[in-house]
């Protein structure tokens, strides 16, 4: 039996927001199911924080509406929305201990002392900060501070958790472990979450669905796989992964067939360096002569730049210890899997 999913737990209709003459967005529409983990992914300045602030009630939209669990909250005061928010800058109270920081929202809600103590202990345990309750923010690492901010939001039992680039100020290793922790907690609590990042790898690994944003619009939404495998347009192909983008003439010269659309994308891992002992699927192109121009070691992958006629192609090859690195100048033949060519909307 499948569980009924409320697909419009959060509903945004025709949402618009301007600052003076600057229109940040004008007609945003989307629905989020209860318990979903959504990532807003997009370049700096595209309106991610403004959208989050409208959802949180820290900003009033100029047009449109926003509802949570069937209730219109467009003009409801922030503190009545039951929404938790975590910022990149942590925004902890420097003169308060860890436990007082975490208790802050609960005191605002005027819960009784025993309940506050119980929830703070629960929050501390959830983010694994046991033993740090009496410390002050300046005694904590960046990752620990962000866990305090996360606990402070979680203990209020929000209906929605909003996270605005919570990991961007942390170094890579902490960032990875904290994002796994956030995802695990979110799943455990089945908490509807909107997470903002400009980092596509982060978005890919953590989300149920990604909303890819550009210049105030959601240009594509879908699972990581959908967005990665089928970029909707040129922006998506450039922003997600390191797609090769070829115009129609280049495609025609490479594979001898002209595509319908003016721009075609192909992923670096969908191009193969032909090996004489291997056979390739029927959907493959004929062998295309090419020369290695450079390579870059990305750990388990080698990223080659090949020149095929007048076309430069980025190609990712698994870095197997048995294979030799191909030096610049090496002549090869490339095979394109034609089913992996993505014709883009203009
Ligand atoms: P993002 O979070 O995606 O980087 P923001 O939502 O912060 O983008 O900003 C979107 C646009 O709105 C930017 O051009 C930014 O300069 C502008 N903006 C954001 N906040 C304000 C504000 N309070 N006053 C005026 N302009 C703002
Ligand atoms: Mg922002």
């Amino acid at each position: 039996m499948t569980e009924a999913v409320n697909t419009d737990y959060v509903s945004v209709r025709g949402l618009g927001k301007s600052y003076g003459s600057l229109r940040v967005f004008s007609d945003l529409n989307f629905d989020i199911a209860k318990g979903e983990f959504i990532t807003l992914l997009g370049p700096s300045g595209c309106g991610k924080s403004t959208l989050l602030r409208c959802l949180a009630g820290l900003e009033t939209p100029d047009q449109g509406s926003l509802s949570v669990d069937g209730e219109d909250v467009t003009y409801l005061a922030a503190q009545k929305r039951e929404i938790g928010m975590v910022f990149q800058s942590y925004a902890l109270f420097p003169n308060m201990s860890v436990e007082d920081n975490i208790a802050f929202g609960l005191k605002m809600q005027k819960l009784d002392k025993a309940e506050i103590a119980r929830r703070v202990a629960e929050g501390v345990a959830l983010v694994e900060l046991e033993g740090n309750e009496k410390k002050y923010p300046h005694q904590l690492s960046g990752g620990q501070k962000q866990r305090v901010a996360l606990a402070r939001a979680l203990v209020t039992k929000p209906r929605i958790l909003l996270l605005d680039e919570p990991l961007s100020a942390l170094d890579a290793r902490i960032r990875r472990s904290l994002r796994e922790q956030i995802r695990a907690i979110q799943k455990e609590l089945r908490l509807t979450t909107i997470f903002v990042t400009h980092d596509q790898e982060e978005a890919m690994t953590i989300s149920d669905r990604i909303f890819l944003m550009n210049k105030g619009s959601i240009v594509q939404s879908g699972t990581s796989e959908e967005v990665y495998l089928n970029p909707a347009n040129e922006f998506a192909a450039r922003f997600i992964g390191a797609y090769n983008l070829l115009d129609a003439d280049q495609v025609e010269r490479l594979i001898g067939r002209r595509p319908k659309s003016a721009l075609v994308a192909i992923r670096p891992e969908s191009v193969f360096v032909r090996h004489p002992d291997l056979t390739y699927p029927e959907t493959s192109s004929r062998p295309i002569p090419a020369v290695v121009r450079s390579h870059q070691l990305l750990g388990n992958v080698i990223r080659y730049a090949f020149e095929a006629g007048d076309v430069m192609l980025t190609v990712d090859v698994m870095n197997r210890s048995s294979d030799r690195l191909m030096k610049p100048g090496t002549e090869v033949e490339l095979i394109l899997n034609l089913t992996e060519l993505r014709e883009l909307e203009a």
Side-chain angles (χ1 to χ4, degrees):
M1 210 175 75
T2 53
E3 219 176 314
V5 184
N6 182 357
T7 55
D8 52 5
Y9 186 68
V10 179
S11 277
V12 165
R13 290 291 173 270
L15 205 71
K17 176 72 189 171
S18 297
Y19 293 112
S21 61
L22 176 76
R23 178 171 292 178
V24 183
F25 41 80
S26 56
D27 185 22
L28 283 179
N29 295 281
F30 58 83
D31 294 306
I32 297 174
K34 194 169 165 68
E36 245 191 321
F37 193 113
I38 296 292
T39 297
L40 298 180
L41 171 66
S44 181
C46 73
K48 306 181 297 296
S49 294
T50 304
L51 173 55
L52 231 52
R53 293 171 63 80
C54 286
L55 298 177
L58 302 174
E59 206 67 82
T60 310
D62 310 323
Q63 311 150 12
S65 68
L66 160 66
S67 71
V68 179
D69 202 10
E71 177 197 1
D72 188 326
V73 300
T74 317
Y75 301 105
L76 190 68
Q79 61 274 19
K80 292 191 175 156
R81 290 192 187 194
E82 297 173 56
I83 288 178
M85 187 139 174
V86 173
F87 303 90
Q88 178 180 335
S89 59
Y90 321 126
L92 299 180
F93 302 105
N95 56 338
M96 286 186 197
S97 65
V98 165
E99 58 186 5
D100 287 343
N101 264 284
I102 296 175
F104 184 79
L106 304 174
K107 287 182 181 160
M108 299 286 284
Q109 289 178 1
K110 303 204 163 50
L111 298 183
D112 70 55
K113 267 191 165 161
E115 176 66 7
I116 292 176
R118 197 184 62 74
R119 289 221 209 158
V120 168
E122 211 176 77
V124 164
L126 203 56
V127 299
E128 297 171 9
L129 276 174
E130 294 98 333
N132 295 288
E133 293 87 341
K134 306 286 179 207
K135 288 187 184 166
Y136 285 81
H138 75 271
Q139 296 171 299
L140 303 175
S141 69
Q144 288 174 322
K145 282 186 225 178
Q146 201 52 300
R147 274 149 53 203
V148 175
L150 185 60
R152 183 178 59 183
L154 292 172
V155 292
T156 63
K157 302 196 187 298
R159 295 193 286 182
I160 308 172
L161 179 64
L162 305 176
L163 303 151
D164 194 353
E165 309 225 20
L167 308 178
S168 299
L170 304 172
D171 67 46
R173 196 176 50 82
I174 303 293
R175 211 157 68 202
R176 272 195 297 276
S177 74
L178 190 50
R179 87 182 173 210
E180 281 163 23
Q181 199 174 9
I182 288 173
R183 180 59 156 150
I185 291 170
Q186 180 270 336
K187 278 189 172 161
E188 188 186 324
L189 303 178
R190 302 168 131 237
L191 185 57
T192 309
T193 300
I194 307 178
F195 177 94
V196 166
T197 183
H198 59 263
D199 179 330
Q200 60 100 358
E201 189 212 315
E202 200 162 276
M204 293 284 172
T205 49
I206 204 170
S207 320
D208 289 318
R209 278 193 299 154
I210 294 174
F211 290 178
L212 183 61
M213 280 185 78
N214 188 32
K215 296 181 184 161
S217 296
I218 296 175
V219 296
Q220 189 169 8
S221 64
T223 64
S224 301
E225 289 80 1
E226 285 163 357
V227 174
Y228 187 67
L229 297 179
N230 287 304
N233 59 17
E234 178 175 356
F235 169 80
R238 286 191 192 281
F239 203 80
I240 306 269
Y243 272 88
N244 291 289
L245 290 170
L246 307 176
D247 65 33
D249 291 341
Q250 290 176 317
V251 174
E252 188 169 16
R253 285 198 292 278
L254 275 185
I255 66 168
R257 197 189 70 199
R258 197 169 178 82
K260 281 194 217 80
S261 88
L263 195 66
V264 167
I266 185 157
R267 282 184 295 143
E269 65 272 31
S270 300
V271 181
F272 305 99
V273 179
R274 181 166 179 256
H275 191 286
D277 297 344
L278 296 178
T279 55
Y280 294 89
E282 277 186 31
T283 52
S284 298
S285 69
R286 57 171 195 225
I288 301 164
V291 181
V292 176
R293 285 301 172 220
S294 64
H295 52 65
Q296 198 186 346
L297 212 53
L298 308 178
N300 60 341
V301 163
I302 308 167
R303 176 159 293 175
Y304 286 100
F306 286 104
E307 195 172 336
D310 66 340
V311 181
M312 291 300 296
L313 281 174
T314 300
V315 177
D316 286 348
V317 175
M318 281 305 289
N319 183 9
R320 296 192 179 80
S321 52
S322 55
D323 294 342
R324 272 182 305 129
L325 200 64
M326 294 181 288
K327 293 197 176 67
T330 306
E331 294 184 7
V332 300
E333 285 179 323
L334 299 178
I335 301 275
L336 267 58
N337 188 349
L338 301 177
T339 59
E340 307 258 303
L341 292 178
R342 296 283 172 268
E343 303 207 6
L344 302 179
E345 310 164 1

